[in-house]
Amino acid sequence: MKIDLSRTVKNKSNQLNSDDFLGLENHELIIKIRDVVDSGSEDQPTHIFYEGDNNKPYKPNLTFRKILLALWGEDGSYYIGQSMRLYVNKDITWGKEKVGGIEISAITGIEKDSTVIVVGSLGRKKAYPIKKLVLKIDNNQALKDAGLIAAQKGMEAFTIWGKSLSAEQKT
């Protein structure tokens, strides 16, 4: 019998940390945003809550707040329902130490892959490539959702929807 000890190494923190990516494939995580809060704090004003976050939000640094603003705009309510792929960049430093940090590699809600140039540390400009995130669709769930929508429109709409299904979809 397998004994999962991963819960025994979780950080006691109020936010998502790079250590939370230990054990994840490619040290990356795709999150779907459920809420965005401006905390008013100067250091970490943006709290991005996501499905399954256990109230440990992702708090993007200044660079990635600028990138999100450039790609999604200033209205945080637009972010809700969007998804992003986060990963650990092991080259991120704190002082002189390489400690690793969370960065964004892809987001939904953009038409194509983009590169955002942001002024970073020491006033240097750096280009950040952000890919268009395309999520895999669960075809069975999508089919069930379409049937539910048709049923809510009435029996005629549901019958038309049912007739449009292939033999494989009907099973």
Side-chain angles (χ1 to χ4, degrees), residues 103-154:
E103 295 192 349
I104 302 169
S105 64
I107 62 174
T108 58
I110 56 175
E111 290 184 24
K112 61 182 180 174
D113 294 353
S114 299
T115 298
V116 180
I117 299 172
V118 177
V119 176
S121 61
L122 304 175
R124 294 185 201 134
K125 289 187 177 186
K126 183 176 175 184
Y128 289 88
I130 304 294
K131 295 193 176 294
K132 175 182 178 177
L133 179 60
V134 179
L135 300 173
K136 293 179 184 175
I137 297 173
D138 179 345
N139 289 328
N140 289 334
Q141 187 60 48
L143 192 60
K144 290 175 188 174
D145 291 346
L148 180 61
I149 291 168
Q152 290 171 341
K153 291 180 180 177

Side-chain angles (χ1 to χ4, degrees), residues 6-48:
S6 62
R7 70 164 194 82
T8 67
V9 295
K10 299 288 184 197
N11 289 332
K12 293 181 180 176
S13 174
N14 66 351
Q15 71 182 46
L16 183 66
N17 292 297
S18 59
D19 284 352
D20 294 319
F21 288 67
L22 293 172
L24 296 178
E25 187 174 334
N26 299 323
H27 297 284
E28 63 181 32
L29 178 67
I30 295 176
I31 64 171
K32 183 175 182 181
I33 299 169
R34 66 177 175 84
D35 198 10
V36 178
V37 175
D38 180 348
S39 71
S41 161
E42 279 191 39
D43 292 337
Q44 294 179 308
T46 306
H47 295 196
I48 297 177

Side-chain angles (χ1 to χ4, degrees), residues 60-169:
N61 65 20
L62 178 60
T63 296
F64 283 92
R65 292 194 309 269
K66 290 178 181 179
I67 290 169
L68 290 173
L69 196 73
L71 296 173
W72 280 345
E74 63 186 37
D75 182 0
S77 67
Y78 173 78
Y79 299 20
I80 297 169
Q82 299 290 353
S83 295
M84 61 176 71
R85 180 183 297 121
L86 305 175
Y87 74 100
V88 175
N89 179 343
K90 295 178 183 179
D91 293 328
I92 299 294
T93 58
W94 180 257
K96 294 181 181 180
E97 302 272 334
K98 278 190 180 182
V99 295
I102 300 171
E103 295 192 349
I104 302 169
S105 64
I107 62 174
T108 58
I110 56 175
E111 290 184 24
K112 61 182 180 174
D113 294 353
S114 299
T115 298
V116 180
I117 299 172
V118 177
V119 176
S121 61
L122 304 175
R124 294 185 201 134
K125 289 187 177 186
K126 183 176 175 184
Y128 289 88
I130 304 294
K131 295 193 176 294
K132 175 182 178 177
L133 179 60
V134 179
L135 300 173
K136 293 179 184 175
I137 297 173
D138 179 345
N139 289 328
N140 289 334
Q141 187 60 48
L143 192 60
K144 290 175 188 174
D145 291 346
L148 180 61
I149 291 168
Q152 290 171 341
K153 291 180 180 177
M155 190 59 173
E156 184 179 344
F158 185 72
T159 302
I160 292 169
W161 170 80
K163 288 180 179 178
S164 72
L165 298 176
S166 69
E168 182 183 35
Q169 289 173 322

